[in-house]
């Protein structure tokens, strides 16, 4: 099969946002072949971001999470199969499920996602200790939260902090334990991290930094009762959420002989070393178009963009994936939106005098890498446009009194250097 020849069938392993979008985008682009979408969960494909927010709050039910109702898959002739893929046979171009059934493919798309990391400490198997990745995880966690009085969150990443906000709003006492020296340390700048530290503490959350977990302790019914820290102190807890990151699900790819390095290795068109197999979303390690460095991204935007790019290629219109990364998180009444990708910034410029509404521009040398906007959606929209266009902006320009991302774009459009910006 060449890049421009459509395969007669496509099998997609994984029915998360990326897997669903691959199937949907293939049909949108006129693909007429067979599409099989294999889900490890016996459920319709659904959105994951609400699981740590609206769903836990009881503001969304299962049907509200569905990406499409069941009738959609019938109308679009997409075979939605519940089952676990156990191996790939690249030579025969087929996949085998745990029940022994096999599905042949002209092209295979691996959208296998990632698995939450767990704690490697005594007591990790106790009742009341949770991770949050799937709808079933959220169902169990929601029930546990309803009866909880004291929760300990291990890890101050986005999932941990989003859950902490929901738990505090439900009246639960919450302590967040983080091994590093600030929240979101690997993904946001120090000014943004400091904002979230203040936000959570002002809402009654206790934050402990530079602390590891030694053990989890339980009662005679094997339910968690306390978290023991590395320094020997204990935190009472009847609910523990572990949010210490994820591990990409690369086992199938590795067993099939595909290169794996921090994720399933793919090229700029999301192809593996096997021209009949692609990988997308959280499991894929792909080259960043601006730097050429290979990395993984765990976001809805990335999964959808990957899926659309692969669908276009399989439908006969190949292109390199070059979309700008962006991300958001809601905690209490605060929204942070991030545009771009920070690969190690050297300087920061903060826009705005309000400690609860500001943007942080991250530069590497003279190059703008990313913009973090806290409660400043107009800045976020402008940042996405600016970064997508590759427009030059220096730290000195951004530091000028009264500088505005929106007005900067408008001035560029007025000079005819960029297309008009509808902001």
């Amino acid at each position: 099969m060449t890049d421009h020849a459509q395969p007669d069938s496509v099998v997609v392993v994984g029915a998360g946002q990326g897997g669903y979008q691959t199937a949907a985008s293939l049909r949108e682009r006129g693909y007429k072949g067979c599409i099989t979408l294999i889900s490890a969960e016996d459920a319709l494909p659904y959105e994951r971001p609400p699981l740590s927010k609206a769903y836990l709050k009881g503001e969304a039910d299962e049907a509200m999470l569905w990406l499409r109702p069941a009738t959609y898959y019938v109308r679009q002739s997409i075979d939605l199969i519940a089952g676990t893929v156990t191996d790939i046979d690249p030579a025969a171009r087929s996949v085998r499920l745990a029940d022994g059934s096999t599905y042949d493919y002209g092209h295979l798309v691996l959208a296998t996602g990632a698995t939450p990391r767990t704690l490697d400490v005594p007591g990790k198997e106790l009742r009341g200790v949770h991770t949050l990745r799937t709808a079933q995880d959220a169902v169990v966690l929601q029930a546990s939260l309803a009866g909880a009085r004291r929760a300990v969150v291990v890890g101050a990443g986005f999932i941990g902090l989003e859950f902490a906000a929901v738990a505090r709003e439900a009246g639960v006492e919450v302590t967040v334990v983080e091994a590093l020296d600030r929240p979101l340390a690997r993904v946001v700048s120090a000014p943004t991290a400091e904002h979230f530290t203040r936000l959570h503490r002002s809402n009654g959350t206790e934050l402990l930094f530079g602390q590891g977990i030694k053990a989890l302790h339980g009662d005679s019914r094997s339910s968690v009762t306390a978290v023991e820290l590395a320094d020997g102190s204990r935190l009472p807890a009847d609910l523990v959420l572990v949010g210490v990151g994820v591990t990409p699900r690369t086992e199938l790819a590795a067993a099939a002989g595909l290169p794996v390095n921090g994720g399933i290795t793919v090229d700029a068109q999301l192809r593996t070393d096997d021209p009949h197999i692609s990988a997308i979303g959280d499991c894929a390690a792909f080259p960043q178009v601006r730097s050429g460095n290979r990395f993984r991204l765990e976001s809805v935007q990335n999964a959808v963009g990957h899926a659309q790019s692969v669908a276009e290629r399989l439908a006969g219109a190949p292109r390199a994936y070059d979309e700008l990364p962006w991300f958001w998180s809601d905690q209490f009444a605060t929204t942070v939106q991030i545009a771009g990708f920070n690969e190690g910034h050297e300087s920061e410029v903060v826009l705005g005098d309000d400690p609860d509404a500001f943007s942080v521009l991250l530069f590497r040398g003279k190059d703008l890498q990313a913009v973090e906007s806290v409660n400043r959606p107009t800045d976020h929209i402008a940042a996405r446009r600016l970064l997508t266009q590759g427009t030059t902006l220096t730290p000195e320009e951004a530091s000028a009194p009264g500088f505005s991302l929106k007005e900067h774009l408008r001035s560029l459009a007025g000079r005819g250097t960029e297309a008009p910006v509808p902001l």
Side-chain angles (χ1 to χ4, degrees):
M1 184 189 76
T2 68
D3 280 342
H4 299 282
Q6 292 191 12
D8 57 2
S9 62
V10 177
V11 171
V12 184
V13 179
Q17 187 84 53
Y20 154 78
Q21 190 65 56
T22 301
S25 294
L26 280 168
R27 289 295 185 235
E28 290 167 4
R29 285 156 179 76
Y31 177 74
K32 302 298 184 184
C34 297
I35 300 176
T36 303
L37 181 57
I38 303 176
S39 174
E41 300 178 63
D42 189 10
L44 292 174
Y46 58 86
E47 295 183 87
R48 294 190 190 275
L51 295 179
S52 59
K53 308 177 190 77
Y55 189 85
L56 283 182
K57 293 180 180 180
E59 298 173 354
D61 60 19
E62 181 183 1
M64 293 172 67
L65 300 180
W66 293 341
L67 292 164
R68 293 283 188 169
T71 53
Y72 168 82
Y73 303 94
V74 176
R75 291 197 311 269
Q76 296 296 324
S77 297
I78 297 170
D79 294 328
L80 183 58
I81 305 296
T84 301
V85 176
T86 56
D87 63 84
I88 302 166
D89 186 339
R93 291 194 214 166
S94 68
V95 297
R96 182 180 299 277
L97 274 60
D99 64 6
S101 59
T102 60
Y103 292 86
D104 297 333
Y105 61 82
H107 196 87
L108 177 66
V109 180
L110 298 176
T112 49
T115 302
R117 296 192 184 105
T118 57
L119 296 176
D120 187 18
V121 299
K124 63 182 180 180
E125 74 290 340
L126 291 168
R127 283 199 301 268
V129 179
H130 304 270
T131 57
L132 179 55
R133 180 74 179 180
T134 69
Q136 184 56 39
D137 291 339
V139 168
V140 176
L141 182 57
Q142 185 185 55
S144 185
L145 180 62
R149 293 187 302 120
R150 300 183 184 91
V152 171
V153 178
V154 183
F158 282 115
I159 289 294
L161 293 185
E162 287 171 0
F163 171 78
V166 171
R168 283 299 302 136
E169 290 173 335
V172 177
E173 295 181 23
V174 179
T175 301
V176 177
V177 181
E178 168 58 50
L180 299 178
D181 61 355
R182 63 178 192 252
L184 306 169
R186 294 186 177 90
V187 290
V188 303
S189 66
T192 300
E194 175 57 29
H195 167 80
F196 281 99
T197 299
R198 294 195 313 270
L199 175 69
H200 281 267
R201 283 178 172 161
S202 69
N203 280 278
T205 304
E206 183 177 6
L207 298 173
L208 302 178
F209 299 121
Q211 284 280 8
I213 306 299
K214 183 176 182 180
L216 305 177
H217 298 277
D219 59 18
S220 60
R221 297 172 297 173
S222 296
S223 295
V224 68
T225 58
V227 175
E228 184 178 355
L229 303 181
D231 63 7
S233 60
R234 294 193 183 192
L235 304 173
D238 45 27
L239 185 160
V240 175
L241 177 71
V242 179
V244 292
V246 299
T247 301
R249 300 189 65 178
T250 61
E251 299 87 352
L252 282 173
L258 299 175
V260 171
N261 184 12
I264 303 171
T265 303
V266 296
D267 65 13
Q269 292 189 27
L270 293 316
R271 296 172 299 197
T272 69
D273 276 10
D274 185 325
H276 303 287
I277 304 177
S278 300
I280 65 171
D282 293 2
C283 69
F286 65 101
Q288 210 276 345
V289 68
R290 290 164 180 81
S291 69
N293 296 330
R294 193 178 301 277
F295 62 88
R296 289 189 315 108
L297 278 180
E298 298 158 16
S299 74
V300 170
Q301 172 269 336
N302 185 64
V304 170
H306 277 187
Q308 292 171 336
S309 180
V310 167
E312 289 175 16
R313 169 162 52 84
L314 296 180
R319 65 175 174 89
Y321 179 74
D322 61 354
E323 294 184 18
L324 178 77
W326 56 271
F327 180 80
W328 81 97
S329 176
D330 297 320
Q331 298 169 37
F332 299 109
T334 290
T335 298
V336 60
Q337 296 167 291
I338 302 172
F341 188 74
N342 177 16
E343 295 189 79
H345 70 283
E346 297 168 344
S347 63
E348 304 163 351
V349 175
V350 178
L351 304 182
D353 299 324
D354 185 343
D356 295 322
F358 61 92
S359 290
V360 184
L361 280 59
L362 308 180
F363 291 90
R364 190 168 191 173
K366 299 291 186 180
D367 297 327
L368 178 64
Q369 287 199 316
V371 177
E372 303 163 356
S373 297
V374 175
N375 294 329
R376 293 197 26 148
T378 300
D379 277 1
H380 176 68
I381 294 170
R384 283 169 58 176
R385 181 63 61 88
L386 188 70
L387 288 162
T388 297
Q389 292 175 341
T391 305
T392 300
L393 173 65
T394 68
E396 292 76 18
E397 289 174 316
S399 299
F403 176 83
S404 160
L405 285 169
K406 178 178 175 179
E407 293 306 319
H408 179 67
L409 280 170
R410 281 183 170 161
S411 69
L412 292 173
R415 281 179 271 164
T417 57
E418 300 291 345
V421 180
L423 295 174

